[in-house]
Amino acid sequence: MKYKIVTRSRVGLPVLILGIGCFIGSSCSNTRQQSSDTNTSVKGLKYYYRDYFTMGVAVSPWALKTDEAGLIVDQFNGLTPENAMKMGPIHPMENQYYWKDADSIIAFAKRHNMKVRGHALVWHQQTPDWLFKDAEGKQVSKEVLLQRIKDHITTVVQRYKGSIYAWDVVNEAISDDPKEVYRQSKFYQICGDEFITKAFEWAHAADPDAVLFYNDYNEINPVKRAKIIAMIKQLQSAGVPIHAVGLQAHWAINEPTEAQLDQTFKDFIELKLPLQITELDISVYSKEHNARDKKVPADADTAYTTEKEDLQTKQYGMCFKLFRKYKDHLTGVTFWNISDRHSWLDDFPVRNRKDHPLLFNRNLRPKKPYTAVIDF
Ligand code: XIL
């Protein structure tokens, strides 16, 4: 997946919301004070799924200072920092860490008794400029890069020991190209697949209690899925401390099909590891995997029409039906962003095309797909 790195975007055309009325407390009001996690008058997603799995959401530190905070506290019991713990943002210079944003997310989670997933220790995107270069600007050796990865993982994981229950240790290391196994990232080009093994070992040494995940997308594709599973089996048989699998679940109204998702779960279950849906969103556009510019007029229609709403409602309903079916294997479901006010899909795969992939609209009210998720 190739995408432009954006920090935050609030652009988008006004949308026509045909959703359901206001029925869940603070989500209906921009003025109501934040409720605490003990407030039982609000029945949010975490309430409906209390016997199933953690309900999480990916957040920025800024969102936690807006009216979205109340919605988060009412609906969710898990947080993932959307960007704040990635290598670039948290470790911008070799001898300098930037903790403020990540710390503020941890503090919010503590105040509201929410679990935090760490995301992500080693990923080919959002890496800092210094990581692969020596003082002369030349590419570093394998030994130097592995040492830098070790220092990074050790420092970050130790800092949040006890505050973060699970880490995405390696993110997106498998290639989408059916002809190759590993992504041809700088990490891979310099270190080979050893960086994967080492990353898990160093994370485990830094916090033996953290649940360590391999996380990837396009897991519903049988070819890529087989490669992910084969890699994990290899790690398991080598005794590498890998404890769980994250299925990103950046899906769309046209995929996955029910049969495809069911098969996906069946295949991953064979690993006998806990699974999590780590980055759920359901785009209202047909799935595309590569970044591109807008095509006119095909991409101009960004309204959230009744047709899109109905398709999204069906798709969310189907996905959660299967999540419930596989609840004995699934320990968490995390949405990637809070509401249609802002999603990373507003800029990916089509740059500057508004998407509406989440359960809450721009006024933070639950959409019709929300009813499909809680109606069981
Ligand atoms: C995305 C963020 O949502 C964007 O804000 C950022 O510009 C790029 O990264 N897979 C992942 C996430 O593992 O970290 C990505 O998050 C989305 C795809």
Side-chain angles (χ1 to χ4, degrees):
M1 207 183 288
K2 287 193 186 123
Y3 31 74
K4 200 180 84 195
I5 305 302
V6 289
T7 45
R8 193 168 164 84
S9 154
R10 291 193 178 272
V11 287
L13 298 171
V15 288
L16 179 63
I17 302 299
L18 299 170
I20 47 179
C22 161
F23 63 86
I24 51 158
S26 72
S27 310
C28 303
S29 160
N30 291 348
T31 52
R32 183 174 166 266
Q33 294 222 315
Q34 277 178 24
S35 71
S36 84
D37 50 287
T38 52
N39 183 340
T40 49
S41 65
V42 175
K43 289 193 168 85
L45 292 167
K46 65 181 178 185
Y47 170 80
Y48 292 103
Y49 281 88
R50 65 197 181 286
D51 296 330
Y52 288 82
F53 28 71
T54 304
M55 278 291 202
V57 63
V59 298
S60 68
W62 311 287
L64 303 181
K65 297 194 174 85
T66 69
D67 51 334
E68 287 180 314
L71 177 76
I72 292 168
V73 171
D74 289 344
Q75 296 289 331
F76 300 100
N77 48 11
L79 291 182
T80 303
E82 181 185 4
N83 289 301
M85 287 184 188
K86 289 172 181 171
M87 233 186 200
I90 208 165
H91 196 172
M93 317 273 257
E94 186 166 8
N95 297 311
Q96 200 181 308
Y97 286 84
Y98 176 75
W99 302 117
K100 200 169 156 249
D101 287 349
D103 283 359
S104 73
I105 292 173
I106 298 277
F108 183 94
K110 286 203 170 133
R111 278 202 300 283
H112 299 289
N113 197 23
M114 303 171 96
K115 295 170 92 172
V116 183
R117 302 186 80 255
H119 176 81
L121 295 171
V122 182
W123 186 37
H124 65 286
Q125 296 263 6
Q126 289 176 275
T127 51
D129 285 344
W130 61 269
L131 186 65
F132 303 109
K133 289 185 202 151
D134 66 15
E136 277 91 52
K138 288 209 233 60
Q139 186 165 293
V140 291
S141 65
K142 177 175 173 177
E143 289 64 38
V144 171
L145 183 56
L146 285 176
Q147 186 60 46
R148 287 179 177 182
I149 298 172
K150 181 180 184 183
D151 292 345
H152 171 81
I153 290 178
T154 307
T155 308
V156 175
V157 174
Q158 277 181 355
R159 179 177 182 89
Y160 296 117
K161 194 169 170 349
S163 304
I164 285 188
Y165 79 103
W167 272 104
D168 289 330
V169 177
V170 177
N171 195 29
E172 304 183 354
I174 294 293
S175 173
D176 288 303
D177 182 345
K179 294 191 290 295
E180 60 188 24
V181 176
Y182 293 103
R183 176 185 298 281
Q184 294 300 305
S185 67
K186 275 254 172 66
F187 291 110
Y188 185 75
Q189 285 165 353
I190 299 173
C191 303
D193 60 357
E194 204 180 319
F195 81 90
I196 301 172
T197 307
K198 292 289 181 203
F200 280 98
E201 287 172 358
W202 292 326
H204 188 57
D207 182 357
D209 296 327
V211 185
L212 304 184
F213 278 74
Y214 176 74
N215 192 48
D216 214 328
Y217 68 90
N218 206 10
E219 63 301 289
I220 53 174
N221 175 310
V223 178
K224 184 159 180 195
R225 183 161 72 239
K227 290 191 283 186
I228 297 172
I229 290 172
M231 179 193 70
I232 295 174
K233 279 188 176 157
Q234 216 178 301
L235 293 171
Q236 285 178 309
S237 58
V240 176
I242 175 169
H243 308 133
V245 190
L247 317 181
Q248 288 190 8
H250 291 294
W251 296 333
I253 46 176
N254 68 325
E255 69 166 50
T257 63
E258 184 164 354
Q260 193 181 8
L261 186 54
D262 198 54
Q263 192 58 50
T264 299
F265 277 114
K266 284 192 175 123
D267 289 347
F268 277 112
I269 279 169
E270 291 196 6
L271 288 169
K272 299 195 172 40
L273 292 179
L275 307 174
Q276 287 202 5
I277 298 294
T278 52
E279 306 186 15
L280 179 63
D281 43 30
I282 295 183
S283 169
V284 298
Y285 305 106
S286 292
K287 192 71 195 172
E288 292 178 53
H289 291 284
N290 295 315
R292 66 169 174 86
D293 287 322
K294 260 190 198 172
K295 284 187 214 140
V296 180
D299 297 316
D301 178 17
T302 58
Y304 187 59
T305 58
T306 315
E307 193 196 347
K308 285 181 182 138
E309 181 188 55
D310 286 345
L311 288 169
Q312 195 183 41
T313 302
K314 260 179 123 172
Q315 188 70 333
Y316 262 115
M318 182 277 284
C319 291
F320 274 84
K321 188 177 86 182
L322 288 190
F323 295 168
R324 292 191 299 274
K325 174 176 171 186
Y326 288 101
K327 77 174 174 115
D328 292 343
H329 305 274
L330 205 53
T331 58
V333 173
T334 298
F335 288 82
W336 206 249
N337 297 128
I338 306 154
S339 74
D340 289 348
R341 211 182 251 188
H342 163 71
S343 155
W344 76 296
L345 296 176
D346 296 341
D347 254 304
F348 181 83
V350 179
R351 285 178 269 276
N352 200 18
R353 178 187 64 176
K354 182 71 194 151
D355 206 334
H356 314 269
L358 299 158
L359 294 184
F360 302 94
N361 71 18
R362 294 213 268 198
N363 299 318
L364 310 186
R365 295 200 171 104
K367 293 160 55 182
K368 197 169 156 192
Y370 183 95
T371 50
V373 168
I374 61 166
D375 184 20
F376 60 92

mmCIF file of all heavy atoms in Angstrom, residues 1 3-7 82-83 86 119 123 126 171-172 215 217 248 250 279 336-337 342 344, ligand 1:
data_model
loop_
_atom_site.group_PDB
_atom_site.id
_atom_site.type_symbol
_atom_site.label_atom_id
_atom_site.label_comp_id
_atom_site.label_asym_id
_atom_site.label_seq_id
_atom_site.Cartn_x
_atom_site.Cartn_y
_atom_site.Cartn_z
ATOM 1 N N MET A 1 0.854 -1.180 0.000
ATOM 2 C CA MET A 1 0.000 0.000 0.000
ATOM 3 C C MET A 1 0.890 1.229 0.000
ATOM 4 O O MET A 1 1.789 1.331 0.810
ATOM 5 C CB MET A 1 -0.851 -0.005 1.280
ATOM 6 C CG MET A 1 -2.160 0.714 1.120
ATOM 7 S SD MET A 1 -3.115 0.792 2.641
ATOM 8 C CE MET A 1 -3.686 -0.865 2.853
ATOM 9 N N TYR A 3 0.916 5.322 0.264
ATOM 10 C CA TYR A 3 0.079 6.489 0.486
ATOM 11 C C TYR A 3 0.906 7.660 0.950
ATOM 12 O O TYR A 3 1.997 7.521 1.476
ATOM 13 C CB TYR A 3 -1.019 6.205 1.500
ATOM 14 C CG TYR A 3 -0.658 5.209 2.529
ATOM 15 C CD1 TYR A 3 0.202 5.543 3.554
ATOM 16 C CD2 TYR A 3 -1.119 3.909 2.426
ATOM 17 C CE1 TYR A 3 0.553 4.592 4.477
ATOM 18 C CE2 TYR A 3 -0.766 2.962 3.346
ATOM 19 C CZ TYR A 3 0.062 3.303 4.365
ATOM 20 O OH TYR A 3 0.416 2.362 5.275
ATOM 21 N N LYS A 4 0.313 8.836 0.744
ATOM 22 C CA LYS A 4 0.972 10.061 1.169
ATOM 23 C C LYS A 4 0.802 10.166 2.674
ATOM 24 O O LYS A 4 -0.224 9.803 3.219
ATOM 25 C CB LYS A 4 0.245 11.238 0.506
ATOM 26 C CG LYS A 4 1.048 12.494 0.456
ATOM 27 C CD LYS A 4 0.232 13.577 -0.213
ATOM 28 C CE LYS A 4 -0.692 14.236 0.777
ATOM 29 N NZ LYS A 4 -1.736 15.030 0.261
ATOM 30 N N ILE A 5 1.835 10.658 3.348
ATOM 31 C CA ILE A 5 1.724 10.811 4.780
ATOM 32 C C ILE A 5 1.055 12.150 5.079
ATOM 33 O O ILE A 5 1.580 13.198 4.726
ATOM 34 C CB ILE A 5 3.105 10.758 5.441
ATOM 35 C CG1 ILE A 5 3.850 9.461 5.065
ATOM 36 C CG2 ILE A 5 3.018 10.926 6.941
ATOM 37 C CD1 ILE A 5 3.169 8.185 5.417
ATOM 38 N N VAL A 6 -0.072 12.103 5.683
ATOM 39 C CA VAL A 6 -0.731 13.341 6.086
ATOM 40 C C VAL A 6 -0.848 13.343 7.592
ATOM 41 O O VAL A 6 -0.972 12.300 8.203
ATOM 42 C CB VAL A 6 -2.143 13.493 5.482
ATOM 43 C CG1 VAL A 6 -2.076 13.760 3.998
ATOM 44 C CG2 VAL A 6 -2.992 12.276 5.776
ATOM 45 N N THR A 7 -0.773 14.496 8.186
ATOM 46 C CA THR A 7 -0.912 14.525 9.628
ATOM 47 C C THR A 7 -2.389 14.584 10.000
ATOM 48 O O THR A 7 -2.880 13.800 10.773
ATOM 49 C CB THR A 7 -0.185 15.742 10.227
ATOM 50 O OG1 THR A 7 -0.495 16.870 9.455
ATOM 51 C CG2 THR A 7 1.295 15.496 10.253
ATOM 52 N N GLU A 82 -2.820 6.711 16.490
ATOM 53 C CA GLU A 82 -2.853 6.563 15.027
ATOM 54 C C GLU A 82 -1.461 6.790 14.417
ATOM 55 O O GLU A 82 -1.064 6.091 13.488
ATOM 56 C CB GLU A 82 -3.853 7.557 14.425
ATOM 57 C CG GLU A 82 -3.960 7.457 12.912
ATOM 58 C CD GLU A 82 -4.858 8.516 12.294
ATOM 59 O OE1 GLU A 82 -5.353 9.399 13.041
ATOM 60 O OE2 GLU A 82 -5.063 8.474 11.073
ATOM 61 N N ASN A 83 -0.745 7.786 14.926
ATOM 62 C CA ASN A 83 0.592 8.098 14.402
ATOM 63 C C ASN A 83 1.653 8.325 15.480
ATOM 64 O O ASN A 83 2.842 8.206 15.218
ATOM 65 C CB ASN A 83 0.527 9.372 13.532
ATOM 66 C CG ASN A 83 -0.201 9.119 12.223
ATOM 67 O OD1 ASN A 83 0.191 8.279 11.427
ATOM 68 N ND2 ASN A 83 -1.300 9.835 12.009
ATOM 69 N N LYS A 86 4.639 5.948 16.056
ATOM 70 C CA LYS A 86 5.424 5.433 14.929
ATOM 71 C C LYS A 86 6.841 5.978 15.023
ATOM 72 O O LYS A 86 7.084 7.025 15.639
ATOM 73 C CB LYS A 86 4.757 5.845 13.621
ATOM 74 C CG LYS A 86 3.444 5.086 13.393
ATOM 75 C CD LYS A 86 2.691 5.625 12.203
ATOM 76 C CE LYS A 86 1.388 4.878 12.011
ATOM 77 N NZ LYS A 86 0.530 5.513 11.000
ATOM 78 N N HIS A 119 1.451 1.075 18.543
ATOM 79 C CA HIS A 119 1.497 0.935 17.076
ATOM 80 C C HIS A 119 2.498 1.936 16.531
ATOM 81 O O HIS A 119 2.311 3.110 16.743
ATOM 82 C CB HIS A 119 0.106 1.193 16.507
ATOM 83 C CG HIS A 119 0.050 1.160 15.012
ATOM 84 N ND1 HIS A 119 -0.029 -0.009 14.300
ATOM 85 C CD2 HIS A 119 0.045 2.154 14.086
ATOM 86 C CE1 HIS A 119 -0.085 0.276 13.004
ATOM 87 N NE2 HIS A 119 -0.040 1.571 12.848
ATOM 88 N N TRP A 123 8.058 -0.407 10.918
ATOM 89 C CA TRP A 123 7.188 -0.253 9.752
ATOM 90 C C TRP A 123 7.969 0.507 8.696
ATOM 91 O O TRP A 123 8.720 1.425 9.019
ATOM 92 C CB TRP A 123 5.922 0.529 10.173
ATOM 93 C CG TRP A 123 4.884 0.632 9.108
ATOM 94 C CD1 TRP A 123 4.551 -0.323 8.193
ATOM 95 C CD2 TRP A 123 4.014 1.757 8.854
ATOM 96 N NE1 TRP A 123 3.524 0.141 7.385
ATOM 97 C CE2 TRP A 123 3.178 1.400 7.765
ATOM 98 C CE3 TRP A 123 3.861 3.013 9.433
ATOM 99 C CZ2 TRP A 123 2.221 2.268 7.250
ATOM 100 C CZ3 TRP A 123 2.895 3.868 8.924
ATOM 101 C CH2 TRP A 123 2.077 3.500 7.854
ATOM 102 N N GLN A 126 6.697 6.144 7.425
ATOM 103 C CA GLN A 126 6.879 7.076 8.539
ATOM 104 C C GLN A 126 8.133 6.749 9.367
ATOM 105 O O GLN A 126 8.123 6.834 10.590
ATOM 106 C CB GLN A 126 5.615 7.130 9.409
ATOM 107 C CG GLN A 126 4.467 7.845 8.697
ATOM 108 C CD GLN A 126 3.175 7.831 9.479
ATOM 109 O OE1 GLN A 126 2.394 6.879 9.414
ATOM 110 N NE2 GLN A 126 2.910 8.875 10.225
ATOM 111 N N ASN A 171 5.015 -4.386 11.258
ATOM 112 C CA ASN A 171 3.824 -4.002 10.504
ATOM 113 C C ASN A 171 4.126 -4.113 9.007
ATOM 114 O O ASN A 171 5.120 -3.566 8.537
ATOM 115 C CB ASN A 171 3.503 -2.540 10.873
ATOM 116 C CG ASN A 171 2.120 -2.090 10.479
ATOM 117 O OD1 ASN A 171 1.185 -2.903 10.418
ATOM 118 N ND2 ASN A 171 1.965 -0.794 10.221
ATOM 119 N N GLU A 172 3.296 -4.851 8.291
ATOM 120 C CA GLU A 172 3.321 -4.865 6.819
ATOM 121 C C GLU A 172 4.655 -5.317 6.208
ATOM 122 O O GLU A 172 5.172 -4.677 5.303
ATOM 123 C CB GLU A 172 2.945 -3.478 6.285
ATOM 124 C CG GLU A 172 1.606 -2.977 6.789
ATOM 125 C CD GLU A 172 1.210 -1.621 6.198
ATOM 126 O OE1 GLU A 172 2.007 -1.008 5.477
ATOM 127 O OE2 GLU A 172 0.072 -1.193 6.471
ATOM 128 N N ASN A 215 1.285 -7.535 12.322
ATOM 129 C CA ASN A 215 0.095 -6.825 11.826
ATOM 130 C C ASN A 215 0.238 -6.583 10.323
ATOM 131 O O ASN A 215 1.297 -6.144 9.863
ATOM 132 C CB ASN A 215 0.034 -5.476 12.571
ATOM 133 C CG ASN A 215 -1.273 -4.734 12.417
ATOM 134 O OD1 ASN A 215 -2.341 -5.325 12.585
ATOM 135 N ND2 ASN A 215 -1.203 -3.452 12.089
ATOM 136 N N TYR A 217 -2.129 -5.871 6.259
ATOM 137 C CA TYR A 217 -3.390 -5.574 5.559
ATOM 138 C C TYR A 217 -3.550 -6.502 4.363
ATOM 139 O O TYR A 217 -2.633 -7.257 4.022
ATOM 140 C CB TYR A 217 -3.408 -4.110 5.106
ATOM 141 C CG TYR A 217 -2.400 -3.800 4.012
ATOM 142 C CD1 TYR A 217 -2.746 -3.910 2.660
ATOM 143 C CD2 TYR A 217 -1.100 -3.422 4.340
ATOM 144 C CE1 TYR A 217 -1.817 -3.649 1.662
ATOM 145 C CE2 TYR A 217 -0.167 -3.171 3.341
ATOM 146 C CZ TYR A 217 -0.531 -3.280 2.007
ATOM 147 O OH TYR A 217 0.395 -3.025 1.026
ATOM 148 N N GLN A 248 -5.532 -5.926 9.726
ATOM 149 C CA GLN A 248 -5.846 -4.490 9.696
ATOM 150 C C GLN A 248 -7.308 -4.220 9.345
ATOM 151 O O GLN A 248 -7.935 -3.353 9.916
ATOM 152 C CB GLN A 248 -4.912 -3.776 8.718
ATOM 153 C CG GLN A 248 -3.489 -3.658 9.221
ATOM 154 C CD GLN A 248 -2.641 -2.735 8.365
ATOM 155 O OE1 GLN A 248 -3.122 -2.053 7.464
ATOM 156 N NE2 GLN A 248 -1.358 -2.706 8.638
ATOM 157 N N HIS A 250 -8.741 -2.877 6.492
ATOM 158 C CA HIS A 250 -9.132 -1.686 5.725
ATOM 159 C C HIS A 250 -9.955 -2.201 4.551
ATOM 160 O O HIS A 250 -9.431 -2.547 3.504
ATOM 161 C CB HIS A 250 -7.893 -0.920 5.246
ATOM 162 C CG HIS A 250 -7.144 -0.283 6.365
ATOM 163 N ND1 HIS A 250 -7.664 0.747 7.116
ATOM 164 C CD2 HIS A 250 -5.918 -0.533 6.880
ATOM 165 C CE1 HIS A 250 -6.784 1.100 8.036
ATOM 166 N NE2 HIS A 250 -5.725 0.339 7.920
ATOM 167 N N GLU A 279 -7.463 -2.289 12.495
ATOM 168 C CA GLU A 279 -7.571 -0.976 11.835
ATOM 169 C C GLU A 279 -8.835 -0.912 10.974
ATOM 170 O O GLU A 279 -8.784 -0.565 9.792
ATOM 171 C CB GLU A 279 -6.324 -0.712 10.969
ATOM 172 C CG GLU A 279 -5.025 -0.840 11.738
ATOM 173 C CD GLU A 279 -3.791 -0.436 10.927
ATOM 174 O OE1 GLU A 279 -3.914 0.205 9.865
ATOM 175 O OE2 GLU A 279 -2.676 -0.768 11.379
ATOM 176 N N TRP A 336 -10.243 2.428 12.724
ATOM 177 C CA TRP A 336 -9.142 3.327 12.363
ATOM 178 C C TRP A 336 -9.738 4.716 12.110
ATOM 179 O O TRP A 336 -10.151 5.028 11.028
ATOM 180 C CB TRP A 336 -8.367 2.805 11.156
ATOM 181 C CG TRP A 336 -6.957 3.307 11.154
ATOM 182 C CD1 TRP A 336 -6.411 4.204 10.281
ATOM 183 C CD2 TRP A 336 -5.918 2.972 12.088
ATOM 184 N NE1 TRP A 336 -5.087 4.445 10.617
ATOM 185 C CE2 TRP A 336 -4.761 3.696 11.720
ATOM 186 C CE3 TRP A 336 -5.857 2.125 13.211
ATOM 187 C CZ2 TRP A 336 -3.545 3.597 12.421
ATOM 188 C CZ3 TRP A 336 -4.656 2.046 13.906
ATOM 189 C CH2 TRP A 336 -3.529 2.774 13.511
ATOM 190 N N ASN A 337 -9.750 5.499 13.165
ATOM 191 C CA ASN A 337 -10.342 6.849 13.255
ATOM 192 C C ASN A 337 -11.723 6.786 13.911
ATOM 193 O O ASN A 337 -12.310 5.723 14.060
ATOM 194 C CB ASN A 337 -10.432 7.594 11.930
ATOM 195 C CG ASN A 337 -9.054 7.869 11.317
ATOM 196 O OD1 ASN A 337 -8.804 7.561 10.167
ATOM 197 N ND2 ASN A 337 -8.143 8.438 12.082
ATOM 198 N N HIS A 342 -13.183 13.014 10.109
ATOM 199 C CA HIS A 342 -11.822 12.875 9.574
ATOM 200 C C HIS A 342 -11.426 11.405 9.531
ATOM 201 O O HIS A 342 -11.526 10.689 10.524
ATOM 202 C CB HIS A 342 -10.816 13.627 10.459
ATOM 203 C CG HIS A 342 -9.416 13.188 10.211
ATOM 204 N ND1 HIS A 342 -8.748 13.502 9.059
ATOM 205 C CD2 HIS A 342 -8.583 12.393 10.927
ATOM 206 C CE1 HIS A 342 -7.548 12.939 9.092
ATOM 207 N NE2 HIS A 342 -7.419 12.264 10.203
ATOM 208 N N TRP A 344 -8.244 8.846 7.536
ATOM 209 C CA TRP A 344 -7.074 8.826 6.642
ATOM 210 C C TRP A 344 -7.500 8.509 5.214
ATOM 211 O O TRP A 344 -6.810 8.848 4.269
ATOM 212 C CB TRP A 344 -6.039 7.824 7.146
ATOM 213 C CG TRP A 344 -6.361 6.388 6.906
ATOM 214 C CD1 TRP A 344 -7.412 5.678 7.424
ATOM 215 C CD2 TRP A 344 -5.658 5.481 6.061
ATOM 216 N NE1 TRP A 344 -7.387 4.387 6.968
ATOM 217 C CE2 TRP A 344 -6.319 4.234 6.124
ATOM 218 C CE3 TRP A 344 -4.518 5.582 5.268
ATOM 219 C CZ2 TRP A 344 -5.897 3.118 5.424
ATOM 220 C CZ3 TRP A 344 -4.085 4.461 4.567
ATOM 221 C CH2 TRP A 344 -4.782 3.248 4.646
HETATM 222 C C1 XIL B 1 -2.025 5.934 8.512
HETATM 223 C C2 XIL B 1 -2.559 7.122 9.314
HETATM 224 O O1 XIL B 1 -3.931 6.921 9.554
HETATM 225 C C3 XIL B 1 -2.321 8.410 8.564
HETATM 226 O O2 XIL B 1 -2.673 9.535 9.367
HETATM 227 C C4 XIL B 1 -0.850 8.521 8.145
HETATM 228 O O3 XIL B 1 -0.693 9.669 7.337
HETATM 229 C C5 XIL B 1 -0.411 7.281 7.379
HETATM 230 O O4 XIL B 1 -0.666 6.137 8.166
HETATM 231 N N1 XIL B 1 -1.728 0.866 7.949
HETATM 232 C C6 XIL B 1 -1.206 1.193 9.171
HETATM 233 C C7 XIL B 1 -1.452 2.539 9.746
HETATM 234 O O5 XIL B 1 -0.627 0.316 9.837
HETATM 235 O O6 XIL B 1 -0.395 2.966 10.550
HETATM 236 C C8 XIL B 1 -1.740 3.552 8.676
HETATM 237 O O7 XIL B 1 -2.102 4.780 9.315
HETATM 238 C C9 XIL B 1 -2.831 3.055 7.762
HETATM 239 C C10 XIL B 1 -2.421 1.783 7.073
#
